[in-house]
Amino acid sequence: MLPSGPAADLFDLLRREPDVEAPDLVAVDATDRLLLDEAAGALAVDGDRVAVVDDSHGALTLGAVVLHGAVDVRVHQDLLVGELALGANAARLERTGSYRSLPLAPELVQGARVVLAKAPKSLDGLRELAEVVAADADPAVTLYVGGRLKHMTRAMNDVLGDCFTDVSATLARQKSRVLVARGPRPVTPSFPRCREHADLGVTLCAHGAAFAGAKVARGTRALLAALPQAAPDATSAVDLSCGTGLLAVALATARPGLTVLATDQSAAAVASARATLAANGLGNRVRVSRDDAAAGVPDASVDLVVCNPPFHLGVAVHTGVAERLFAAAARVLRPGGEFWCVYNSHLPHRDTLRRLIGPTRQVSRDPVFTVAVSTRR
């Protein structure tokens, strides 16, 4: 049944911006609604001890505040666009002082008795969340993890069971379900996790929500093989959507005179890249920043941009995020600067690259991945 009354009024006011806008993308989904309904009783009792994790655009945080009277909600959102959307929606509702944005760390959950979370895409992301809550929240905490049925697996129950004594699932509604975990076990947080890749001479470190974890993604490996050809006279470079920082490590190691910035909107990626750079002795050579599509990089200031863009928006396949990154590269590159990227070969990115950046040629291609270089016109 669709919500009516105050909930419907609240949800109608929420917007996605500055995230990707499209007719098939929403600011509030069935999982947000189900999480708030399942936690309603707990929020009524412990509304001053609430934490929210990965609230997509503010529905969980503002729903807890407006509909259930929660105060001083502590919020962690991995994606910066989510933080910005929450801020814009809170301002629209005149609730800017109702929450605090914090890292996924002890301060987020200390003393919390109610934790609302959208299910991370990876089991490692769920494990890090569960470890933080079990280690540092109130012993009486209840963790509610909601997701779409098609993306939830039995393994998620097992991960939560490693950190909590009691794990159950609610009835499904509108193709969403909530896992409920109580009774935190004694746990020691295990992230970031690091892995040595002897064939590349690199150690990668990753927090739970970082794409590919401490493995080397096949697309990144394809782009890495092509990097020695990239803009040999460059003096400045940006690893855009840097993930765990492998491309930044490769550039800084091979070109000691190159100024390198690694940037990503994911908090997990930024923390992972910093850990990776430290593990490879490059902590002082590469600057790392959490930024939305390189917004903090001046226009026409960079010689080289490298990128393995995501092709998912949340759990949906969508080209909008990649196109935002292509537009960002066009903005920050100097005329004649080069944009080197890798993408799934079936995606129609080459025409977009030509339109947004300039002349584009294929460097390598296999049935799965294409590496291309575009020259800023």
Side-chain angles (χ1 to χ4, degrees):
M1 183 171 65
L2 294 175
S4 59
D9 294 340
L10 167 66
F11 296 152
D12 285 345
L13 292 172
L14 302 185
R15 301 291 180 266
R16 290 177 57 87
E17 66 258 9
D19 202 356
V20 175
E21 297 277 1
D24 58 333
L25 300 175
V26 296
V28 185
D29 64 18
T31 302
D32 295 316
R33 297 183 178 99
L34 184 58
L35 273 165
L36 288 167
D37 287 349
E38 290 293 340
L43 289 168
V45 174
D46 289 310
D48 59 342
R49 288 185 280 186
V50 178
V52 176
V53 179
D54 280 342
D55 187 0
S56 300
H57 300 91
L60 292 178
T61 304
L62 297 172
V65 170
V66 175
L67 302 176
H68 300 287
V71 296
D72 192 29
V73 178
R74 287 166 283 173
V75 185
H76 171 74
Q77 293 159 281
D78 182 55
L79 298 184
L80 182 56
V81 289
E83 277 191 25
L84 297 174
L86 169 57
N89 283 321
R92 187 176 292 111
L93 297 172
E94 299 183 347
R95 301 284 181 154
T96 53
S98 63
Y99 72 93
R100 291 179 283 150
S101 291
L102 296 168
L104 184 61
E107 184 184 0
L108 174 71
V109 297
Q110 281 174 345
R113 288 199 171 186
V114 182
V115 180
L116 307 179
K118 298 289 279 285
K121 290 194 293 184
S122 71
L123 290 177
D124 276 351
L126 180 62
R127 186 173 297 279
E128 184 167 21
L129 163 64
E131 288 179 353
V132 169
V133 175
D136 294 297
D138 189 284
V141 67
T142 301
L143 169 62
Y144 300 84
V145 180
R148 302 294 281 169
L149 288 175
K150 63 183 179 180
H151 301 302
M152 301 186 81
T153 67
R154 178 68 193 181
M156 297 173 72
N157 298 57
D158 297 336
V159 168
L160 291 174
D162 290 339
C163 299
F164 295 87
T165 60
D166 180 13
V167 179
S168 60
T170 69
L171 295 175
R173 190 181 80 190
Q174 293 181 294
K175 300 181 180 180
S176 292
R177 176 170 280 148
V178 174
L179 300 179
V180 183
R182 297 184 175 93
R185 299 180 188 273
V187 298
T188 301
S190 62
F191 294 88
R193 296 176 176 178
C194 297
R195 177 177 172 182
E196 183 180 359
H197 296 272
D199 59 325
L200 299 175
V202 171
T203 297
L204 286 184
C205 300
H207 283 269
F211 172 72
K215 299 181 293 185
V216 181
R218 284 182 60 193
T220 300
R221 191 177 286 275
L223 181 53
L224 189 67
L227 278 191
Q229 308 172 53
D233 297 326
T235 61
S236 57
V238 172
D239 180 358
L240 184 61
S241 192
C242 66
T244 54
L246 175 56
L247 297 176
V249 166
L251 287 171
T253 301
R255 308 185 190 193
L258 187 67
T259 299
V260 182
L261 167 67
T263 180
D264 203 298
Q265 69 150 322
S266 161
V270 166
S272 300
R274 287 182 175 139
T276 291
L277 289 161
N280 291 278
L282 294 167
N284 295 324
R285 277 275 290 111
V286 178
R287 185 165 63 91
V288 184
S289 72
R290 185 173 180 230
D291 206 354
D292 176 26
V297 179
D299 294 359
S301 63
V302 177
D303 299 316
L304 172 64
V305 177
V306 298
C307 183
N308 180 2
F311 60 92
H312 282 90
L313 190 58
V315 293
V317 176
H318 201 284
T319 61
V321 176
E323 291 176 7
R324 289 185 81 233
L325 294 175
F326 298 163
R331 180 183 62 78
V332 304
L333 279 169
R334 297 186 177 103
E338 294 181 0
F339 178 62
W340 287 68
C341 75
V342 61
Y343 55 86
N344 288 70
S345 295
H346 70 276
L347 293 173
H349 282 337
R350 196 184 304 185
D351 289 343
T352 304
L353 290 166
R354 289 190 184 110
R355 174 171 55 84
L356 293 177
I357 300 177
T360 299
R361 65 178 174 86
Q362 178 179 298
V363 177
S364 65
R365 181 185 178 93
D366 63 31
V368 182
F369 292 107
T370 294
V371 175
V373 55
S374 304
T375 303
R376 182 71 169 98
R377 61 170 66 86

